[in-house]
Amino acid sequence: MSDLNLLPIDVEDDLRSTVRDLLADRCDPVTVTAMYDGDRSVVPGLWKALAADLGLAGLLVPEDRGGAGASAVEAAAVLEELGRAAAPVPFLTSAVVATTLLLDTDSDLLASLAAGERTAALVVPLSVAPHGALPAVRADADGRLTGRVTSVAGALEADVLLVPASTGDGIAVYAVATADARLAQVVSLDMTRQLADVTLDGVTGELVRVDGESAIRRGLAAGAALLASEQVGVAQWCLQTTVDYLKERRQFGRVLGGFQALKHRLADLFADVESAGAAARYAAATLAAGDPDGEIAATVAQAYCSDLAVKAAEEAIQLHAGIGMTWEHPLHLYLKRAKADQIAFGTGGDHRAHLAHLVELPEPR
């Protein structure tokens, strides 16, 4: 294992503070909740502010390609804040997954993604794990693509779709203008990351990569590793909101936070959230450093953080009692984000099984 710095640095703290302030100003719970009634008007302006105005779309892109030349550690800090706000922006799908796939290509698309001028999405189901089976549409000799892929995240916000296609010699990746594909919106549990079914009927695509499979898996691996930071952000918000509520809510003539049983539950949850934060940070640090432990670290982080975020949201709803079950309280946004994230890039159980394979644990008899 290489010598990794797991402590926050000033630049990272400043970035986190800037993103948090912008989200507090532009991404209030009432606006986000409106997305469940079909109002997605908050997305374009919020994404422009983050992607172009703050330059976050190019965090992972080298400076000589038009990006910020930052690393996965800074991207993790951004995702943690996006999780804390349940922000409905395609940072994970475009600035992480799609961008990682394009990093070692000479495609002009990378520069436009880094500048926030365009947004891209990888056309695979959100549930596909980095080590899982990759769906691919068919590509003929002229680069015309035919097929259908369901439950794609980020497609509705994308200008360009990165489509894995079977060529007979493996999986290539084609860039297709979103306007040339047919997108059917899916009523998703988490409407802040709404899914879509993508259909291609003989659409001509631009060949981006011939050796697509390894690049696709790298993109998905980056997504899985950094999704853990978003899940930590969700859990942190749920914990802090619950602590604040129990300090004020009174019952039986006492502040609820003074009851020993509730203190124990919050202390246990605090320890779990801190552990999740450590796992997510290690996954981001190994990804940034290209550390050999990167795959194991990402798998551990996903196996732990995906379930912990759901636990934190469920605890928050229970400890808020009746108000936690109302539509007006934002807790439901975080439970839905946590439950949707729980199956993104593979379930916790899938990652635990893969971890056993990575560390060569014997199968149970």
Side-chain angles (χ1 to χ4, degrees):
M1 182 182 69
S2 59
D3 186 16
L4 299 174
N5 178 24
L6 300 180
L7 298 177
I9 59 176
D10 291 343
V11 172
E12 186 184 339
D13 289 338
D14 290 344
L15 175 62
R16 188 188 304 277
S17 177
T18 300
V19 174
R20 186 176 298 188
D21 289 345
L22 186 146
L23 293 173
D25 183 55
R26 303 276 191 96
C27 189
D28 63 277
V30 174
T31 303
V32 177
T33 302
M35 299 187 73
Y36 288 84
D37 293 322
D39 182 2
R40 300 181 61 83
S41 59
V42 66
V43 179
L46 181 60
W47 177 235
K48 179 182 181 299
L50 288 164
D53 298 347
L54 293 186
L56 300 185
L59 273 183
L60 298 181
V61 180
E63 292 183 79
D64 60 1
R65 301 290 301 276
S71 73
V73 172
E74 288 78 17
V78 171
L79 277 162
E80 197 171 301
E81 293 306 316
L82 295 178
R84 288 177 65 93
V89 292
F91 181 84
L92 182 66
T93 52
S94 182
V96 174
V97 177
T99 295
T100 299
L101 188 153
L102 294 170
L103 278 179
D104 58 350
T105 71
D106 58 1
S107 173
D108 294 336
L109 176 58
L110 184 63
S112 62
L113 293 183
E117 297 169 352
R118 290 196 284 178
T119 303
L122 176 61
V123 182
V124 299
L126 179 61
S127 59
V128 171
H131 51 274
L134 297 177
V137 304
R138 298 184 306 278
D140 64 18
D142 297 321
R144 289 190 294 266
L145 309 174
T146 304
R148 181 171 180 266
V149 182
T150 61
S151 303
V152 177
L156 295 176
E157 296 82 19
D159 304 297
V160 179
L161 302 175
L162 299 178
V163 183
S166 176
T167 62
D169 296 323
I171 297 178
V173 178
Y174 290 82
V176 174
T178 304
D180 293 337
R182 285 194 290 114
L183 270 59
Q185 298 185 25
V186 175
V187 178
S188 311
L189 175 63
D190 176 19
M191 292 293 282
T192 65
R193 183 173 284 145
Q194 190 175 5
L195 306 180
D197 296 339
V198 178
T199 301
L200 303 167
D201 293 320
V203 174
T204 300
E206 176 189 350
L207 182 62
V208 175
R209 306 195 65 116
V210 177
D211 56 336
E213 181 171 351
S214 60
I216 292 168
R217 294 196 186 280
R218 282 198 302 273
L220 294 175
L226 296 182
L227 176 64
S229 293
E230 177 181 292
Q231 291 163 332
V232 169
V234 169
Q236 288 174 339
W237 185 92
C238 291
L239 173 63
Q240 188 60 56
T241 300
T242 305
V243 170
D244 292 344
Y245 176 75
L246 294 182
K247 285 181 178 179
E248 298 178 357
R249 182 74 168 91
R250 301 181 68 87
Q251 190 70 41
F252 309 115
R254 293 179 56 185
V255 173
L256 279 178
F259 286 96
Q260 193 74 6
L262 299 187
K263 287 182 178 180
H264 286 169
R265 287 177 68 172
L266 290 173
D268 289 343
L269 185 58
F270 173 81
D272 290 342
V273 172
E274 289 296 295
S275 297
R281 184 160 187 86
Y282 184 62
T286 56
L287 179 63
D291 192 278
D293 281 346
E295 187 175 5
I296 292 176
T299 304
V300 169
Q302 263 310 297
Y304 187 75
C305 295
S306 62
D307 293 339
L308 184 275
V310 173
K311 176 184 176 182
E314 290 175 343
E315 284 285 271
I317 288 177
Q318 288 185 19
L319 294 176
H320 274 76
I323 194 174
M325 299 295 292
T326 63
W327 187 255
E328 290 74 17
H329 198 285
L331 269 171
H332 67 94
L333 299 174
Y334 293 86
L335 178 61
K336 291 167 183 172
R337 173 63 68 88
K339 288 297 291 183
D341 281 357
Q342 195 176 29
I343 64 169
F345 305 113
T347 64
D350 186 31
H351 283 284
R352 284 187 284 274
H354 186 58
L355 178 62
H357 169 72
L358 291 175
V359 299
E360 298 180 349
L361 286 179
E363 294 184 5
R365 295 182 178 179

